[in-house]
Amino acid sequence: EKGGWSSFMRKEVAEQPEAVQKTILGRAVDGKVVIPELEAFGDDRLRDIHRITVVACGTASYAGLVAKYAIEQWARIPVEVELSHEFRYREPVLDEHTLVVSISQSGETMDTLMAVKYAREQGAKAISICNTQGATIPRESDAVVYTHAGPEVAVASTKAFVAQITALYLFGLHLARVRGTLDDAALAENLAELQAIPEKLEAVLGESDGVAQLAHWMADTRSVLFLGRHVGYPIALEGALKLKELAYIHAEGFAAGELKHGPIALIEPGQPVFVVVPSPRGSQNLHPKVVSNIQEIRARGARVIAIAEEGDAAVLPFADEVVRIPLAAPLFEPLLAVVPLQVFAMELAEAKGLDVDQPRNLAKSVTVE
Ligand code: F6R
């Protein structure tokens, strides 16, 4: 089943371009997003929503955090992202104008399932983003938008994550059209950006050797920090999670803007820090802020590994290593920037002789509380 690959994880990392492409397939028509599965749900109900609450766990919740930036920008609806197990044990404020979007690869995660059931009991509408046909969570939802990543066997989620972001972006563009918040040109432009991702992912995967080598050099590392900002922030969280679960290394992800509020105290000489650098072309001008974060931690001895877009020369004087990703519109960068972090965690785990498909203590699908 591994088809010549040494592990399922290696195979699934390599399948990411296809996972994105298949998730878009049939849903992009003449520059517009068409999601047949949402027809029965109805555009009127989508216009009637006042806010979106995303419920998910682990990596799926980080896909939700990435999508929050895009959906708010495109569809101008407030989006909150909640861990399913926190959501259902407080008394969340819900009504018929709340749309609960659950994200689950397996479609069986108990806490996410219970969150969806609870939300619907309170009158909210529920749409599920799921990778497994006919799973329980989609059955308990008003509608489902499937990710088409194919079966994910390795415990650590990789191709499902990029497929989740893809499906959520398609949903966000669909919402923006229905609600009239983006014009046809903007819709087509964003959709074209998404359609260009599979090819760019191939390019990122083709450049993985440098990251693999870095991981092998760093096999004795005891702690790694990850920084990101805007859509790069959830990617920092995901990079840290991958490293914890696969290589059993202490890792933390931070929003780069938080550095001065505490985490910078952790920086001591030799501390490895991955920094997901926003595009210098971004309209919010976050790039110089993150470059100055890099300078601050470098001055305290951090060993900086920057994930930066091609041609970004500003990081060169301050980073010990630069991993390049192809140019993409800023909202689409997470789909590319996550890959070197997945590869790093996988290679480091292998360098330590660990089983990357079946890390200790973890199960693929968490069907108990
Ligand atoms: C991390 C990982 C987990 C899952 C989480 C949710 O690599 O795989 O964090 O993302 O357990 O699982 P699903 O998506 O099946 O609900």
Side-chain angles (χ1 to χ4, degrees), residues 235-256:
I235 296 307
L237 298 175
E238 171 64 1
L241 179 59
K242 284 282 143 326
L243 199 58
K244 288 178 225 187
E245 65 177 333
L246 290 164
Y248 318 151
I249 290 176
H250 174 254
E252 293 290 332
F254 298 108

Side-chain angles (χ1 to χ4, degrees), residues 57-60 103-109 112 137 152 155-157 164 238 241-242 245 363-366:
C57 300
T59 292
I103 310 170
S104 177
Q105 188 286 129
S106 62
E108 302 296 344
T109 299
T112 304
I137 296 172
E152 194 179 60
V155 165
S157 189
Q164 283 159 352
E238 171 64 1
L241 179 59
K242 284 282 143 326
E245 65 177 333
K364 182 67 187 159
S365 151
V366 184

Side-chain angles (χ1 to χ4, degrees), residues 81-237:
V81 182
E82 285 256 2
L83 295 168
S84 316
H85 34 90
E86 287 296 323
F87 175 82
R88 74 181 177 106
Y89 288 106
R90 53 186 185 80
E91 287 175 37
V93 182
L94 297 162
D95 60 23
E96 70 275 21
H97 300 294
T98 309
L99 177 66
V100 168
V101 175
S102 68
I103 310 170
S104 177
Q105 188 286 129
S106 62
E108 302 296 344
T109 299
M110 175 65 81
D111 282 311
T112 304
L113 171 63
M114 298 311 277
V116 169
K117 282 190 174 174
Y118 177 84
R120 288 186 78 205
E121 279 160 22
Q122 304 296 310
K125 302 286 173 277
I127 290 180
S128 123
I129 306 288
C130 182
N131 197 47
T132 311
Q133 293 282 333
T136 312
I137 296 172
R139 284 205 313 269
E140 293 290 338
S141 303
D142 296 291
V144 51
V145 179
Y146 281 109
T147 48
H148 295 294
E152 194 179 60
V153 177
V155 165
S157 189
T158 54
K159 64 176 182 172
F161 177 71
V162 293
Q164 283 159 352
I165 296 175
T166 303
L168 288 159
Y169 277 25
L170 289 168
F171 176 65
L173 291 172
H174 179 68
L175 263 183
R177 181 166 62 83
V178 168
R179 296 169 68 96
T181 48
L182 287 185
D183 61 21
D184 287 354
L187 288 169
E189 200 178 303
N190 282 296
L191 187 54
E193 281 285 342
L194 192 57
Q195 289 174 300
I197 289 296
E199 209 181 306
K200 294 177 187 180
L201 275 171
E202 292 289 3
V204 179
L205 288 164
E207 296 289 317
S208 298
D209 286 356
V211 182
Q213 199 162 60
L214 191 64
H216 285 258
W217 288 335
M218 289 172 64
D220 297 331
T221 305
R222 296 181 55 89
S223 151
V224 181
L225 305 180
F226 295 79
L227 294 179
R229 197 163 177 152
H230 195 257
V231 279
Y233 167 43
I235 296 307
L237 298 175

Side-chain angles (χ1 to χ4, degrees), residues 297-350:
I297 57 172
R298 188 68 187 303
R300 288 160 180 83
R303 174 150 182 235
V304 177
I305 305 126
I307 317 269
E309 73 172 32
E310 270 157 23
D312 178 356
V315 295
L316 287 173
F318 313 112
D320 296 270
E321 313 281 343
V322 181
V323 180
R324 294 293 182 187
I325 56 170
L327 301 192
L331 283 174
F332 295 83
E333 284 170 2
L335 289 159
L336 306 175
V338 71
V339 175
L341 302 183
Q342 297 166 338
V343 171
F344 178 75
M346 175 178 74
E347 295 285 354
L348 207 152
E350 287 201 340

